[in-house]
């Protein structure tokens, strides 16, 4: 798992791809520790959103599941995720730390109550961590079998797995593919040994090239390569080289994360953000612009703030988050969004064990009642929509929350249309000029009939996403 410079939407979020370059105001977050007696999960809703709301889809059964496998060889210097460090060597298949956790994880899955009498088979599964590729295919198989038993699994489901160089070989890759794993997220992070060592990564550049060759030889067509920018002592030349070598490796997807320095990490002890050897905010922004330019020139679509892909290779699992759809999360520290409630599992193993025991005993209520406060829902929709190149669908938003709110949002964004940090699009997704946009304010009907979407520009709008989304918060929940 990786974080970026700013606070994530969830206090514990499901995948490393659920990160941003900007610090977004957080969702109302529900966290249970279950250190003592079991506590009910409190809902983050007070008023009911309209039942006709097209964004009111959290009462549908989830069709996606995130599985947290927390095992790593060592903790990287930037990492504050809930992990279990196993040591420098790869674990054996019978390591009790892994096998016992896998049994606990499967108990949680089997003890989870469905949010309705109906259910839909899972369409995506994402194994994140940690370093899931340290876990044996046999254990991965048992977890998938448990998911199939509990929820069902679509025949052509997207099954993703985070993998680190040096933790798998051809045999393991082929076994995982035989189980249905069809998408790989390879945690390269940098193409310079000195940077990898400075980050505390367990692999070196030689293992990076070996991992890429294994992926190619095994025929994994859908794979992503992950990079981190703004690392200590990272120069523009190093960042340009990493991007260039990424393009040469020809992954179908690239995730680019900006380093976040957390207080509890080794980097948090050693470094102060914005001070040498970390880059300044201006340099970090330049790195982001360089990534956008180089990857776009190489044929990658910048479809989400931190994500680029070749045509048709968007991460289906992560689109569940961006579209504000429900999802399951299982395992240490993982987050779910089920029936209108967002909640996180405990981050410490003993507390997680207590949580699973309470879940089995029926003393934990995470079901919710499907009601969401209309303001909270509108804020979620705006925040998540502005993460994507598609942007905010204003017509659906007006149907859900009223045309007057759309009018107010567009009015507050007028200066940013003129500065080209935001873009207004008609129903053919043609970008409007600032003058065309300004003529819409003669009456509310003009906006409703002519303006279909509004989005952040790439890259400068994405770089200001914190401020731009905060403006929407001021309109929706002043």
């Amino acid at each position: 798992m990786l974080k970026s410079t700013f606070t994530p939407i969830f206090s514990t979020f499901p995948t490393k791809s659920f990160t941003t370059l900007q610090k977004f105001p957080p969702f109302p977050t529900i966290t249970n520790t279950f250190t003592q007696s079991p506590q009910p999960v409190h809902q983050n809703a007070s008023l009911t959103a309209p039942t006709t709301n097209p964004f009111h889809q959290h009462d549908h059964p989830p069709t996606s599941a995130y599985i947290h496998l927390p095992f790593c060889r060592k903790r990287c210097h930037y990492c504050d995720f809930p992990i279990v460090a196993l040591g420098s060597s790869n674990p054996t298949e019978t390591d009790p730390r892994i096998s016992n956790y896998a049994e606990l994880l499967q108990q949680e899955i089997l003890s989870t109550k469905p949010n309705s009498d109906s259910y839909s088979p899972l369409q995506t599964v994402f194994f994140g961590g940690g370093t899931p590729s340290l876990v044996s295919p046999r254990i991965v198989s048992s977890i998938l079998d448990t998911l199939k038993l509990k929820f069902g699994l679509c025949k052509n489901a997207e099954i993703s797995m985070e993998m680190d160089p040096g933790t798998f070989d051809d045999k393991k890759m082929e076994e995982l593919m035989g189980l249905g794993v069809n998408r790989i997220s390879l945690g390269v992070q940098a193409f310079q040994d000195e940077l990898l060592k400075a980050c505390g990564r367990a692999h070196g550049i030689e293992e990076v090239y070996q991992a890429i060759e294994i992926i190619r030889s095994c025929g994994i067509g859908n794979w992503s390569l992950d990079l981190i920018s703004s690392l200590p002592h990272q120069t523009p030349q190093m960042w340009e080289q990493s991007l260039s070598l990424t393009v040469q490796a020809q992954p179908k997807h690239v995730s680019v994360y900006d380093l976040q320095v957390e207080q509890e990490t080794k980097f948090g002890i050693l470094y102060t953000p914005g001070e040498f050897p970390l880059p300044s905010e201006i340099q970090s922004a330049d790195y982001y612009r360089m990534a956008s330019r180089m990857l776009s020139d190489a044929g990658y679509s910048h479809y989400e703030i931190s994500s680029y892909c070749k045509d048709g290779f968007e991460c289906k699992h992560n689109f569940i988050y961006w579209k504000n759809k429900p999802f399951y999360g299982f395992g240490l520290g993982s987050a779910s969004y089920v029936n209108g409630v967002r909640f996180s599992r405990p981050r410490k193993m003993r507390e997680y064990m207590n949580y699973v025991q309470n879940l089995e005993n029926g003393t934990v209520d995470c079901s919710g009642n499907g009601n969401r406060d209309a303001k909270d829902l509108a804020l979620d929709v705006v925040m998540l929509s502005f993460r994507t190149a598609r942007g905010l669908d204003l017509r659906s938003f007006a149907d859900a929350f009223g045309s007057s709110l759309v009018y107010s949002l567009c009015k507050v964004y007028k200066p940013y249309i003129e500065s080209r940090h935001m873009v207004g699009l008609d129903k053919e997704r043609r970008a409007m000029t600032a003058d065309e946009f300004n003529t819409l304010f003669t009456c509310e009907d003009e906006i409703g009939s002519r303006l279909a979407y509004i989005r952040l520009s790439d890259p400068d709008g994405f770089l200001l996403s914190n401020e731009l989304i905060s403006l929407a918060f001021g309109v929706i929940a002043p």
Side-chain angles (χ1 to χ4, degrees), residues 347-360:
R347 290 172 56 92
K348 294 183 178 180
M349 189 65 73
R350 184 173 296 278
E351 294 169 3
Y352 172 63
M353 292 171 64
N354 292 338
Y355 163 80
V356 174
Q357 184 63 57
N358 290 327
L359 190 65
E360 285 188 301

Side-chain angles (χ1 to χ4, degrees), residues 201-440:
R201 296 293 290 177
H203 68 264
I205 190 63
E206 183 177 349
E207 290 171 307
V208 168
Y209 289 119
Q210 290 172 352
I212 292 172
E213 181 56 34
I214 290 170
I215 290 173
R216 285 174 171 169
S217 65
C218 290
I220 287 280
N222 188 2
W223 69 285
S224 178
L225 192 152
D226 299 345
L227 295 175
I228 309 179
S229 65
S230 303
L231 292 170
H233 300 287
Q234 188 178 47
T235 65
Q237 293 76 22
M238 289 177 174
W239 182 234
E240 183 176 16
Q241 181 188 42
S242 287
L243 290 167
S244 178
L245 291 172
T246 295
V247 171
Q248 291 180 34
Q250 298 182 322
K252 297 297 185 181
H253 188 283
V254 181
S255 294
V256 175
Y257 305 101
D258 198 63
L259 177 69
Q260 178 174 354
V261 177
E262 297 286 356
Q263 291 184 353
E264 301 300 321
T265 65
K266 186 170 182 178
F267 276 179
I269 297 172
L270 294 174
Y271 304 128
T272 300
E275 295 184 6
F276 184 82
L278 296 177
S280 66
E281 290 186 4
I282 292 176
Q283 289 172 316
S284 293
D286 288 341
Y287 288 169
Y288 188 76
R289 292 188 180 97
M290 185 187 297
S292 179
R293 183 185 72 253
M294 291 183 63
L295 292 173
S296 296
D297 288 347
Y300 291 89
S301 172
H302 194 179
Y303 73 98
E304 185 273 330
I305 284 182
S306 301
S307 306
Y308 303 76
C309 71
K310 295 290 187 176
D311 187 37
F313 285 90
E314 296 87 353
C315 180
K316 294 178 183 178
H317 183 85
N318 284 347
F319 258 127
I320 296 296
Y321 308 142
W322 315 146
K323 293 181 179 180
N324 206 34
K325 291 184 177 182
F327 55 89
Y328 295 114
F330 298 110
L332 189 71
S334 63
S336 292
Y337 178 38
V338 180
N339 212 23
V341 176
R342 300 185 188 276
F343 57 95
S344 299
R345 280 88 182 143
R347 290 172 56 92
K348 294 183 178 180
M349 189 65 73
R350 184 173 296 278
E351 294 169 3
Y352 172 63
M353 292 171 64
N354 292 338
Y355 163 80
V356 174
Q357 184 63 57
N358 290 327
L359 190 65
E360 285 188 301
N361 295 338
T363 55
V364 175
D365 179 16
C366 300
S367 58
N369 62 12
N371 294 330
R372 290 291 310 279
D373 180 274
K375 289 183 179 179
D376 284 348
L377 183 56
L379 293 174
D380 287 4
V381 170
V382 169
M383 183 188 299
L384 293 168
S385 296
F386 279 170
R387 287 189 60 97
T388 67
R390 184 173 186 268
L392 179 62
D393 183 336
L394 293 175
R395 297 185 180 188
S396 295
F397 195 80
D399 290 341
F401 306 107
S403 59
S404 61
L405 182 55
V406 170
Y407 181 88
S408 298
L409 282 175
C410 291
K411 189 173 182 180
V412 80
Y413 286 131
K414 280 177 65 175
Y416 300 93
I417 296 288
E418 294 172 357
S419 67
R420 299 184 179 180
H421 289 93
M422 300 200 73
V423 182
L425 306 170
D426 63 19
K427 60 183 179 181
E428 283 80 32
R429 295 197 62 84
R430 182 188 65 86
M432 292 183 171
T433 66
D435 288 341
E436 288 176 316
F437 188 85
N438 289 335
T439 61
L440 301 177

Side-chain angles (χ1 to χ4, degrees), residues 16 67-73 86 89-93 98 127-140 160-169 171-173 175-176 181 183-187 201 203 211 214-215:
K16 70 183 172 192
I67 308 297
H68 188 65
L69 300 178
F71 307 103
C72 287
R73 289 182 289 185
L86 300 176
S89 61
N90 290 341
T92 64
E93 185 172 350
I98 297 179
F127 289 95
T131 308
S133 49
L134 285 172
V135 174
S136 72
R138 179 183 60 81
I139 288 180
V140 173
S160 303
M161 176 172 284
E162 294 177 349
M163 306 182 79
D164 279 359
T167 63
F168 62 95
D169 55 18
K171 181 182 177 184
K172 176 178 276 193
M173 178 65 75
E175 289 182 16
L176 291 170
V181 175
R183 185 178 182 277
I184 300 302
S185 180
L186 185 65
R201 296 293 290 177
H203 68 264
I214 290 170
I215 290 173

Side-chain angles (χ1 to χ4, degrees), residues 98-165:
I98 297 179
S99 58
N100 292 342
Y101 175 83
E103 290 181 10
L104 189 65
L105 176 69
Q106 291 171 80
Q107 290 174 25
E108 182 192 359
I109 294 170
L110 293 173
S111 301
T112 298
K113 295 179 180 179
N115 69 319
S116 68
D117 294 334
S118 62
Y119 70 92
S120 297
L122 297 177
Q123 297 175 9
T124 72
V125 176
F126 196 108
F127 289 95
T131 308
S133 49
L134 285 172
V135 174
S136 72
R138 179 183 60 81
I139 288 180
V140 173
S141 177
S142 67
I143 295 171
L144 286 173
D145 286 344
T146 303
L147 290 172
K148 292 175 187 176
L149 177 65
K150 182 68 178 184
F151 305 110
L153 186 63
C154 290
K155 182 179 179 181
N156 297 318
E158 177 191 85
I159 303 179
S160 303
M161 176 172 284
E162 294 177 349
M163 306 182 79
D164 279 359

Side-chain angles (χ1 to χ4, degrees), residues 21-32:
L21 191 69
Q22 292 289 328
K23 179 184 275 185
F24 288 159
F27 274 124
T29 304
I30 298 110
T31 305
N32 278 322

